[in-house]
């Protein structure tokens, strides 16, 4: 069975305020077995605390987040400048996966730009593979956009065959593809899974008021923007079918993630997600 963990992007402020070790202790109390580190500095203090979490709590560091190169969307180490450090961190923490959370926005605008970015990723993925580390690419909804009938996700797969995937099932749903179809189509290369629910909320009164006052366009925008990131089990996704399908597709880690908790304490959101997953056998 895949190891169940948390995407620590959710807890970056808590790590900054309380420290990595305190956060890991709280996650262990919630019956979390692994973490994926993203948007948190991999400095010596945090890395040492992660090592302590492995040794004393039994929490695995399932994946580390990297960028390909420096840039405005790179939030931590990048493979161009910090390759040796990334490999050293992986070996120190027993981590077999690193992941790129998003391609640069400049790579999303055309087939040629996407191909050029993927061509830069391939040698990095191949080099990491030689060092025993698998590079995964994380999708958003935009990765299901098509150029000449080919999804951006497929362009990455074609041009960078050494790259595996971290499939975010919420963003697949939001991108208009059935998540079960995605897992079937990419079976064998889906190593990491983001477990994040998709919730649609009622139309807000503010949108109705705009419509009634004659601002139909403004009200309709409120009607369109009712999709939310949800705690697992509190949305519309079929997790009892999705999680076994993800394991069949090759998933080794499931990471609970919620991009926005809408004012709730993220630990409470994680607790709710964990309780639901336990209720269906995870």
């Amino acid at each position: 069975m895949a190891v169940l963990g948390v995407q620590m992007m959710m807890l970056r402020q808590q790590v900054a305020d309380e420290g990595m070790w305190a956060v890991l202790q709280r996650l262990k109390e919630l019956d979390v077995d692994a973490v994926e580190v993203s948007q948190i500095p991999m400095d010596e203090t945090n890395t040492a605390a992660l090592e302590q979490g492995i040794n004393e709590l039994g929490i695995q560091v399932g994946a580390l987040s990297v960028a390909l190169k420096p840039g405005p969307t790179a939030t931590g180490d990048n493979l161009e400048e910090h390759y040796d450090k990334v490999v050293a961190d992986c070996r120190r923490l027993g981590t077999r996966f690193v992941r790129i959370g998003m391609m640069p926005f400049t790579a999303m605008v055309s087939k040629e730009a996407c191909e050029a970015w993927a061509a830069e990723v391939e040698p990095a993925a191949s080099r990491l593979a030689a060092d025993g580390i698998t590079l995964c690419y994380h999708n958003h909804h935009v990765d299901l956009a098509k150029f000449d009938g080919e999804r951006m996700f497929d362009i990455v797969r074609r041009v960078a065959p050494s790259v595996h995937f971290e499939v975010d099932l919420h963003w697949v749903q939001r991108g208009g593809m059935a998540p079960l179809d995605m897992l079937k189509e990419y079976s064998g290369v889906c190593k990491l899974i983001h477990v994040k629910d998709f919730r649609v909320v009622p139309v807000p009164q503010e949108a109705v008021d705009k419509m009634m006052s004659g601002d139909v366009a403004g009200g309709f925008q409120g009607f369109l923007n009712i999709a939310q990131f949800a705690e697992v089990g509190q949305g519309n996704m079929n997790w009892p079918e999705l999680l076994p399908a993800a394991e069949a597709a090759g998933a080794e880690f499931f990471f609970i993630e919620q991009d926005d908790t809408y004012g709730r304490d993220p630990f409470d959101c994680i607790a709710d997600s964990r309780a639901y997953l336990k209720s269906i056998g995870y």
Side-chain angles (χ1 to χ4, degrees):
M1 181 174 285
V3 179
L4 182 63
V6 163
Q7 222 293 7
M8 292 196 73
M9 171 276 293
M10 292 182 67
L11 299 167
R12 59 192 182 277
Q13 190 59 51
Q14 285 72 19
V15 170
D17 293 343
E18 304 171 27
M20 177 69 78
W21 174 243
V23 168
L24 292 177
Q25 289 178 299
R26 293 185 68 180
L27 287 175
K28 188 63 177 180
E29 291 169 0
L30 295 176
D31 197 20
V32 169
D33 295 321
V35 294
E36 176 178 76
V37 183
S38 178
Q39 300 183 33
I40 294 170
M42 283 297 293
D43 55 24
E44 176 57 28
T45 299
N46 286 334
T47 305
L50 287 165
E51 190 172 30
Q52 185 180 4
I54 294 166
N55 294 331
E56 298 184 24
L57 302 175
I59 289 180
Q60 296 185 51
V61 180
L64 300 177
S65 191
V66 299
L68 182 62
K69 55 177 60 178
T73 59
T75 58
D77 294 334
N78 68 79
L79 295 173
E80 182 176 276
E81 297 176 321
H82 311 118
Y83 182 88
D84 291 340
K85 177 185 181 298
V86 170
V87 171
D89 287 345
C90 286
R91 289 178 176 160
R92 179 177 177 181
L93 301 173
T95 303
R96 295 179 291 112
F97 297 99
V98 298
R99 43 87 69 178
I100 293 176
M102 179 186 288
M103 68 176 68
F105 290 106
T106 53
M108 300 175 184
V109 297
S110 69
K111 181 177 183 177
E112 294 73 22
C114 186
E115 287 176 329
W117 181 79
E120 291 184 301
V121 175
E122 173 59 21
S126 180
R127 185 182 179 192
L128 284 165
D131 282 316
I133 302 165
T134 299
L135 178 63
C136 296
Y137 174 65
H138 170 277
N139 70 284
H140 290 81
H141 55 354
V142 69
D143 294 284
L144 295 172
K146 294 181 179 180
F147 296 116
D148 299 329
E150 186 179 26
R151 297 187 196 103
M152 291 169 64
F153 221 40
D154 290 318
I155 293 173
V156 175
R157 191 181 191 188
R158 169 172 57 81
V159 178
S162 299
V163 174
H164 288 66
F165 291 125
E166 178 172 62
V167 177
D168 187 310
L169 294 168
H170 170 102
W171 284 114
V172 173
Q173 180 100 349
R174 196 178 283 223
M177 185 176 186
L180 284 171
D181 290 346
M182 165 68 80
L183 293 168
K184 189 179 299 182
E185 188 162 336
Y186 295 91
S187 182
V189 293
C190 303
K191 295 301 181 183
L192 311 173
I193 301 291
H194 276 183
V195 181
K196 176 196 309 175
D197 220 326
F198 187 110
R199 174 172 58 215
V200 176
V201 298
V203 176
Q205 184 62 47
E206 181 184 1
V208 176
D209 292 343
K210 285 183 179 181
M211 289 240 187
M212 294 300 99
S213 68
D215 183 5
V216 176
F220 194 67
Q221 284 302 308
F223 170 75
L224 292 177
N225 295 316
I226 58 173
Q228 289 188 352
F229 306 102
E231 297 82 359
V232 186
Q234 296 189 19
N236 297 320
M237 297 178 70
N238 185 357
W239 297 109
E241 286 193 33
L242 281 170
L243 295 182
E247 288 186 294
E252 298 188 35
F253 287 91
F254 293 154
F255 295 116
I256 295 167
E257 184 187 38
Q258 191 174 346
D259 299 46
D260 192 335
T261 62
Y262 308 99
R264 293 194 71 202
D265 186 316
F267 280 111
D268 292 339
C269 295
I270 292 167
D272 287 349
S273 292
R274 184 68 190 95
Y276 170 77
L277 289 166
K278 189 173 291 187
S279 77
I280 62 170
Y282 289 88

